[in-house]
Protein backbone atom coordinates (compact mmCIF):
# COMPACT_ATOMS: atom_id res chain seq x y z
CA UNK A 1 0.00 0.00 0.00
CA UNK A 2 1.32 3.47 -0.92
CA UNK A 3 1.56 6.01 1.89
CA UNK A 4 -0.14 9.38 1.67
CA UNK A 5 3.25 11.14 1.46
CA UNK A 6 4.14 9.26 -1.73
CA UNK A 7 2.88 10.13 -5.18
CA UNK A 8 0.16 7.76 -6.39
CA UNK A 9 0.13 7.16 -10.15
CA UNK A 10 -3.19 7.47 -12.00
CA UNK A 11 -3.64 6.22 -15.55
CA UNK A 12 -5.43 8.50 -18.03
CA UNK A 13 -6.43 6.90 -21.36
CA UNK A 14 -7.70 9.47 -23.86
CA UNK A 15 -6.95 10.30 -27.49
CA UNK A 16 -7.23 14.06 -26.84
CA UNK A 17 -3.87 15.54 -25.68
CA UNK A 18 -5.65 18.50 -24.07
CA UNK A 19 -7.42 16.12 -21.66
CA UNK A 20 -4.09 14.90 -20.33
CA UNK A 21 -2.91 18.47 -19.74
CA UNK A 22 -6.05 19.36 -17.83
CA UNK A 23 -6.24 16.11 -15.86
CA UNK A 24 -2.71 16.74 -14.67
CA UNK A 25 -3.60 20.25 -13.61
CA UNK A 26 -6.69 18.97 -11.79
CA UNK A 27 -4.89 16.21 -9.92
CA UNK A 28 -1.30 17.50 -9.72
CA UNK A 29 -1.84 21.18 -8.87
CA UNK A 30 1.13 23.49 -9.26
CA UNK A 31 1.54 27.22 -8.85
CA UNK A 32 1.63 28.90 -12.28
CA UNK A 33 3.02 32.44 -12.37
CA UNK A 34 2.83 33.08 -16.14
CA UNK A 35 -0.41 35.07 -16.70
CA UNK A 36 -0.61 34.06 -20.35
CA UNK A 37 -0.34 30.36 -19.46
CA UNK A 38 -2.98 30.74 -16.77
CA UNK A 39 -5.39 32.40 -19.19
CA UNK A 40 -4.70 29.72 -21.82
CA UNK A 41 -5.40 26.90 -19.37
CA UNK A 42 -8.56 28.59 -18.15
CA UNK A 43 -9.83 28.96 -21.71
CA UNK A 44 -9.03 25.31 -22.41
CA UNK A 45 -10.84 24.18 -19.25
CA UNK A 46 -13.86 26.30 -20.10
CA UNK A 47 -14.00 24.90 -23.63
CA UNK A 48 -13.66 21.27 -22.61
CA UNK A 49 -15.42 21.13 -19.27
CA UNK A 50 -17.54 24.23 -19.05
CA UNK A 51 -16.13 25.23 -15.64
CA UNK A 52 -12.92 26.45 -14.13
CA UNK A 53 -11.39 24.29 -11.36
CA UNK A 54 -10.88 25.89 -7.97
CA UNK A 55 -7.52 27.56 -7.51
CA UNK A 56 -6.71 25.63 -4.31
CA UNK A 57 -7.04 21.82 -4.38
CA UNK A 58 -5.27 20.76 -1.20
CA UNK A 59 -8.48 20.38 0.84
CA UNK A 60 -10.30 18.54 -1.92
CA UNK A 61 -7.41 16.11 -2.44
CA UNK A 62 -7.37 15.38 1.32
CA UNK A 63 -3.58 15.36 1.54
CA UNK A 64 -3.02 12.85 -1.27
CA UNK A 65 -0.41 13.42 -3.96
CA UNK A 66 -1.02 12.06 -7.43
CA UNK A 67 0.92 11.72 -10.66
CA UNK A 68 -0.43 11.12 -14.16
CA UNK A 69 0.64 8.44 -16.65
CA UNK A 70 -0.79 9.16 -20.09
CA UNK A 71 -1.93 6.76 -22.79
CA UNK A 72 -3.36 8.18 -26.01
CA UNK A 73 -5.10 5.01 -27.16
CA UNK A 74 -6.77 2.03 -25.58
CA UNK A 75 -4.05 -0.38 -26.68
CA UNK A 76 -1.38 1.90 -25.18
CA UNK A 77 -3.29 2.00 -21.89
CA UNK A 78 -3.52 -1.80 -21.74
CA UNK A 79 0.21 -2.03 -22.55
CA UNK A 80 1.08 0.30 -19.64
CA UNK A 81 -0.92 -1.87 -17.22
CA UNK A 82 0.64 -5.05 -18.61
CA UNK A 83 4.11 -3.62 -17.96
CA UNK A 84 3.11 -2.43 -14.46
CA UNK A 85 0.18 -4.62 -13.30
CA UNK A 86 0.34 -3.45 -9.65
CA UNK A 87 1.14 0.20 -10.27
CA UNK A 88 -2.23 1.91 -10.71
CA UNK A 89 -5.14 2.12 -8.29
CA UNK A 90 -7.26 4.34 -10.58
CA UNK A 91 -7.74 4.80 -14.33
CA UNK A 92 -9.76 7.39 -16.26
CA UNK A 93 -10.73 5.93 -19.64
CA UNK A 94 -12.39 7.83 -22.48
CA UNK A 95 -15.23 6.01 -24.19
CA UNK A 96 -14.47 7.07 -27.78
CA UNK A 97 -10.91 6.85 -29.08
CA UNK A 98 -11.09 6.38 -32.88
CA UNK A 99 -9.65 4.72 -34.86
CA UNK A 100 -8.55 2.25 -32.15
CA UNK A 101 -10.49 0.23 -29.61
CA UNK A 102 -13.10 2.03 -27.52
CA UNK A 103 -13.29 2.45 -23.75
CA UNK A 104 -15.26 -0.74 -23.18
CA UNK A 105 -12.63 -2.90 -24.87
CA UNK A 106 -9.87 -0.95 -23.15
CA UNK A 107 -11.34 -1.62 -19.71
CA UNK A 108 -11.77 -5.31 -20.52
CA UNK A 109 -8.09 -5.44 -21.44
CA UNK A 110 -7.01 -3.56 -18.30
CA UNK A 111 -9.12 -5.76 -16.00
CA UNK A 112 -7.78 -8.92 -17.63
CA UNK A 113 -4.38 -7.91 -16.23
CA UNK A 114 -5.33 -5.98 -13.07
CA UNK A 115 -8.99 -6.61 -12.11
CA UNK A 116 -8.80 -4.52 -8.91
CA UNK A 117 -8.09 -1.19 -10.62
CA UNK A 118 -10.89 1.32 -10.03
CA UNK A 119 -11.91 2.54 -13.46
CA UNK A 120 -13.80 5.69 -14.43
CA UNK A 121 -15.49 5.76 -17.81
CA UNK A 122 -15.51 9.29 -19.21
CA UNK A 123 -18.46 9.42 -21.57
CA UNK A 124 -20.90 11.84 -23.20
CA UNK A 125 -24.69 11.40 -23.23
CA UNK A 126 -24.56 10.25 -26.84
CA UNK A 127 -22.32 7.27 -25.99
CA UNK A 128 -23.29 3.89 -24.54
CA UNK A 129 -26.27 3.69 -22.21
CA UNK A 130 -25.76 2.29 -18.71
CA UNK A 131 -27.57 -0.92 -19.72
CA UNK A 132 -25.17 -1.38 -22.62
CA UNK A 133 -22.15 -0.73 -20.39
CA UNK A 134 -23.43 -3.14 -17.75
CA UNK A 135 -24.06 -5.83 -20.36
CA UNK A 136 -20.43 -5.53 -21.48
CA UNK A 137 -18.64 -5.01 -18.16
CA UNK A 138 -21.12 -6.19 -15.55
CA UNK A 139 -22.06 -4.21 -12.45
CA UNK A 140 -18.51 -4.21 -11.11
CA UNK A 141 -17.99 -2.43 -7.75
CA UNK A 142 -14.82 -0.79 -9.10
CA UNK A 143 -16.52 0.79 -12.11
CA UNK A 144 -17.62 4.45 -12.11
CA UNK A 145 -19.10 6.67 -14.82
CA UNK A 146 -18.21 10.36 -15.23
CA UNK A 147 -20.43 12.22 -17.67
CA UNK A 148 -18.97 14.89 -19.93
CA UNK A 149 -18.66 17.78 -19.50
CA UNK A 150 -17.34 17.33 -15.96
CA UNK A 151 -15.74 19.68 -13.49
CA UNK A 152 -12.38 19.55 -11.76
CA UNK A 153 -14.00 19.12 -8.35
CA UNK A 154 -15.60 15.87 -9.55
CA UNK A 155 -12.29 14.46 -10.74
CA UNK A 156 -10.52 15.45 -7.53
CA UNK A 157 -13.21 14.02 -5.28
CA UNK A 158 -13.22 10.75 -7.19
CA UNK A 159 -9.43 10.43 -6.95
CA UNK A 160 -9.31 11.21 -3.20
CA UNK A 161 -12.32 9.02 -2.32
CA UNK A 162 -11.12 6.06 -4.38
CA UNK A 163 -7.62 6.39 -2.88
CA UNK A 164 -9.08 6.02 0.61
CA UNK A 165 -11.33 3.15 -0.46
CA UNK A 166 -8.38 1.41 -2.09
CA UNK A 167 -6.30 1.84 1.07
CA UNK A 168 -9.11 0.43 3.22
CA UNK A 169 -9.54 -2.55 0.90
CA UNK A 170 -5.78 -3.15 0.91
CA UNK A 171 -5.77 -3.18 4.71
CA UNK A 172 -8.70 -5.60 4.78
CA UNK A 173 -6.97 -7.92 2.29
CA UNK A 174 -3.76 -7.79 4.33
CA UNK A 175 -5.69 -8.61 7.52
CA UNK A 176 -7.52 -11.48 5.83
CA UNK A 177 -4.20 -12.82 4.57
CA UNK A 178 -2.73 -12.68 8.07
CA UNK A 179 -5.80 -14.39 9.54
CA UNK A 180 -5.60 -17.13 6.91
CA UNK A 181 -1.96 -17.72 7.79
CA UNK A 182 -2.81 -17.84 11.49
CA UNK A 183 -5.66 -20.25 10.78
CA UNK A 184 -3.35 -22.56 8.84
CA UNK A 185 -0.87 -22.50 11.72
CA UNK A 186 -3.65 -23.13 14.26
CA UNK A 187 -5.06 -26.03 12.24
CA UNK A 188 -1.59 -27.53 11.96
CA UNK A 189 -1.23 -27.18 15.73
CA UNK A 190 -4.60 -28.84 16.29
CA UNK A 191 -3.67 -31.65 13.94
CA UNK A 192 -0.40 -32.16 15.78
CA UNK A 193 -2.25 -32.12 19.12
CA UNK A 194 -4.69 -34.73 17.86
CA UNK A 195 -1.84 -36.92 16.64
CA UNK A 196 -0.06 -36.64 20.01
CA UNK A 197 -3.34 -37.32 21.85
CA UNK A 198 -4.07 -40.43 19.81
CA UNK A 199 -0.50 -41.65 20.29
CA UNK A 200 -0.93 -41.11 24.04
CA UNK A 201 -4.22 -43.02 24.01
CA UNK A 202 -2.64 -46.02 22.34
CA UNK A 203 0.00 -46.26 25.09
CA UNK A 204 -2.48 -46.27 28.01
CA UNK A 205 -3.57 -49.71 29.20
CA UNK A 206 -6.86 -48.58 30.76
CA UNK A 207 -9.78 -47.79 28.45
CA UNK A 208 -9.67 -44.07 27.55
CA UNK A 209 -11.86 -41.68 25.59
CA UNK A 210 -10.65 -38.39 24.12
CA UNK A 211 -13.36 -35.74 24.55
CA UNK A 212 -13.94 -32.20 23.32
CA UNK A 213 -15.15 -29.51 25.71
CA UNK A 214 -18.80 -30.47 25.09
CA UNK A 215 -18.27 -34.14 25.84
CA UNK A 216 -18.24 -35.41 22.26
CA UNK A 217 -15.92 -38.37 21.72
CA UNK A 218 -12.98 -37.48 19.48
CA UNK A 219 -11.05 -40.70 19.91
CA UNK A 220 -10.64 -43.90 21.85
CA UNK A 221 -7.82 -46.33 22.51
CA UNK A 222 -7.94 -50.05 21.67
CA UNK A 223 -8.87 -50.94 25.27
CA UNK A 224 -11.98 -48.74 25.01
CA UNK A 225 -12.94 -50.35 21.71
CA UNK A 226 -12.67 -53.74 23.36
CA UNK A 227 -14.57 -52.64 26.46
CA UNK A 228 -17.52 -51.23 24.54
CA UNK A 229 -17.35 -53.87 21.84
CA UNK A 230 -17.64 -51.45 18.91
CA UNK A 231 -15.49 -50.32 16.03
CA UNK A 232 -14.01 -46.84 15.90
CA UNK A 233 -16.63 -45.37 13.57
CA UNK A 234 -19.43 -46.47 15.93
CA UNK A 235 -17.84 -44.79 18.94
CA UNK A 236 -16.39 -41.53 17.61
CA UNK A 237 -18.68 -38.52 17.45
CA UNK A 238 -21.10 -39.82 20.11
CA UNK A 239 -21.79 -37.84 23.23
CA UNK A 240 -19.96 -39.25 26.24
CA UNK A 241 -23.21 -39.20 28.23
CA UNK A 242 -24.67 -41.80 25.89
CA UNK A 243 -21.76 -44.10 26.64
CA UNK A 244 -21.12 -43.31 30.32
CA UNK A 245 -24.61 -43.33 31.77
CA UNK A 246 -24.38 -40.99 34.77
CA UNK A 247 -21.04 -39.18 34.81
CA UNK A 248 -21.63 -35.96 36.75
CA UNK A 249 -18.26 -34.23 36.26
CA UNK A 250 -18.68 -30.89 34.44
CA UNK A 251 -17.10 -30.16 31.09
CA UNK A 252 -14.92 -28.19 30.75
CA UNK A 253 -13.34 -28.29 34.21
CA UNK A 254 -10.55 -29.52 36.40
CA UNK A 255 -9.72 -33.13 37.12
CA UNK A 256 -12.73 -34.94 38.54
CA UNK A 257 -13.63 -38.53 39.39
CA UNK A 258 -17.17 -39.86 39.16
CA UNK A 259 -18.90 -43.18 39.55
CA UNK A 260 -20.58 -44.37 36.41
CA UNK A 261 -22.64 -47.21 35.04
CA UNK A 262 -21.34 -48.08 31.59
CA UNK A 263 -23.85 -48.78 28.86
CA UNK A 264 -22.28 -51.29 26.48
CA UNK A 265 -23.72 -52.40 23.13
CA UNK A 266 -22.99 -56.00 24.07
CA UNK A 267 -25.71 -55.74 26.71
CA UNK A 268 -23.32 -55.63 29.66
CA UNK A 269 -23.70 -53.14 32.52
CA UNK A 270 -20.46 -52.44 34.38
CA UNK A 271 -19.69 -50.32 37.43
CA UNK A 272 -16.67 -48.08 36.83
CA UNK A 273 -14.86 -44.97 38.00
CA UNK A 274 -14.18 -42.30 35.40
CA UNK A 275 -11.35 -39.82 35.77
CA UNK A 276 -11.58 -36.66 33.62
CA UNK A 277 -8.14 -35.18 32.93
CA UNK A 278 -7.80 -31.80 31.16
CA UNK A 279 -5.23 -31.88 28.37
CA UNK A 280 -2.87 -28.91 28.19
CA UNK A 281 -2.18 -26.02 30.54
CA UNK A 282 -5.43 -24.21 29.55
CA UNK A 283 -8.18 -26.80 29.18
CA UNK A 284 -10.88 -24.19 28.62
CA UNK A 285 -9.01 -22.90 25.60
CA UNK A 286 -7.84 -26.26 24.31
CA UNK A 287 -11.25 -27.82 24.91
CA UNK A 288 -10.01 -31.42 25.15
CA UNK A 289 -10.21 -33.93 27.99
CA UNK A 290 -9.22 -37.49 28.62
CA UNK A 291 -11.83 -39.76 30.20
CA UNK A 292 -9.87 -42.59 31.84
CA UNK A 293 -12.10 -45.55 32.73
CA UNK A 294 -11.33 -48.12 35.42
CA UNK A 295 -13.85 -50.95 35.73
CA UNK A 296 -14.41 -51.76 39.41
CA UNK A 297 -16.67 -54.80 39.10
CA UNK A 298 -19.40 -56.15 36.85
CA UNK A 299 -22.96 -55.29 37.81
Amino acid sequence: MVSEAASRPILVVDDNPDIHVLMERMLVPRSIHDPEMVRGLQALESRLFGAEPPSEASDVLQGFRFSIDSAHSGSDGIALVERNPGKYFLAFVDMRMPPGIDGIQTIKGIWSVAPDIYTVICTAYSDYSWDEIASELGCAPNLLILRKPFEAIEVRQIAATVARMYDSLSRVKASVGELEEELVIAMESVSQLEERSRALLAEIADPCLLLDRDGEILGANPSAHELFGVDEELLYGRDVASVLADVQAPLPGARAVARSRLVCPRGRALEASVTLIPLGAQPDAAGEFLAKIRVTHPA
Side-chain angles (χ1 to χ4, degrees):
M1 184 177 64
V2 183
S3 66
E4 288 196 14
S7 178
R8 300 162 183 255
I10 293 174
L11 178 62
V12 176
V13 185
D14 199 298
D15 62 336
N16 186 344
D18 292 338
I19 293 293
H20 296 274
V21 173
L22 293 179
M23 291 292 279
E24 181 155 356
R25 188 184 176 201
M26 292 174 183
L27 295 172
V28 191
R30 299 185 181 90
S31 298
I32 301 176
H33 302 289
D34 186 337
E36 290 296 325
M37 183 177 294
V38 170
R39 283 194 291 271
L41 285 171
Q42 288 175 346
L44 185 59
E45 290 158 359
S46 179
R47 176 167 57 85
L48 289 175
F49 303 114
E52 177 185 350
S55 58
E56 181 57 54
S58 59
D59 291 340
V60 177
L61 295 182
Q62 301 175 23
F64 290 105
R65 294 177 57 228
F66 303 110
S67 62
I68 300 297
D69 282 1
S70 295
H72 296 273
S73 69
S75 57
D76 288 345
I78 295 171
L80 277 177
V81 176
E82 289 176 339
R83 290 196 296 270
N84 307 278
K87 182 178 182 180
Y88 306 105
F89 77 97
L90 177 62
F92 288 89
V93 179
D94 188 29
M95 182 61 77
R96 292 182 175 180
M97 294 178 285
I101 61 175
D102 65 12
I104 296 291
Q105 299 306 314
T106 300
I107 293 170
K108 286 182 177 180
I110 289 174
W111 283 354
S112 70
V113 180
D116 291 335
I117 293 179
Y118 282 82
T119 306
V120 182
I121 297 177
C122 302
T123 179
Y125 287 100
S126 58
D127 291 327
Y128 289 88
S129 68
W130 167 246
D131 288 340
E132 292 170 326
I133 293 172
S135 68
E136 292 287 340
L137 299 176
C139 299
N142 56 329
L143 177 65
L144 303 172
I145 294 180
L146 185 61
R147 291 288 190 182
K148 294 179 179 178
F150 49 80
E151 299 185 12
I153 185 66
E154 296 175 287
V155 174
R156 289 169 175 165
Q157 285 181 331
I158 287 173
T161 300
V162 170
R164 293 206 180 279
M165 290 172 57
Y166 192 84
D167 283 357
S168 297
L169 182 61
S170 298
R171 286 192 291 269
V172 169
K173 287 182 176 179
S175 297
V176 169
E178 293 173 359
L179 289 174
E180 288 176 345
E181 291 178 2
E182 293 176 1
L183 179 60
V184 169
I185 294 172
M187 291 180 68
E188 290 176 350
S189 299
V190 169
S191 177
Q192 293 171 0
L193 175 61
E194 289 180 352
E195 290 178 4
R196 290 196 298 269
S197 300
R198 295 183 190 280
L200 173 64
L201 281 176
E203 295 176 1
I204 301 176
D206 291 326
C208 290
L209 302 174
L210 181 64
L211 312 176
D212 67 9
R213 64 186 304 159
D214 297 319
E216 184 176 295
I217 299 173
L218 301 176
N221 67 352
S223 296
H225 296 155
E226 183 179 354
L227 174 64
F228 293 105
V230 295
D231 296 330
E232 289 187 17
E233 60 268 18
L234 298 178
L235 191 59
Y236 294 176
R238 293 177 60 188
D239 191 288
V240 68
S242 67
V243 176
L244 308 178
D246 54 4
V247 173
Q248 300 300 316
L251 287 173
R255 179 177 180 136
V257 179
R259 302 293 298 178
S260 177
R261 187 173 184 83
L262 303 181
V263 178
C264 299
R266 289 176 178 173
R268 294 179 297 164
L270 305 175
E271 292 294 331
S273 65
V274 181
T275 304
L276 295 178
I277 305 172
L279 298 178
Q282 296 180 315
D284 287 355
E288 290 191 346
F289 296 82
L290 191 68
K292 190 174 181 181
I293 305 167
R294 186 178 295 271
V295 178
T296 53
H297 58 79

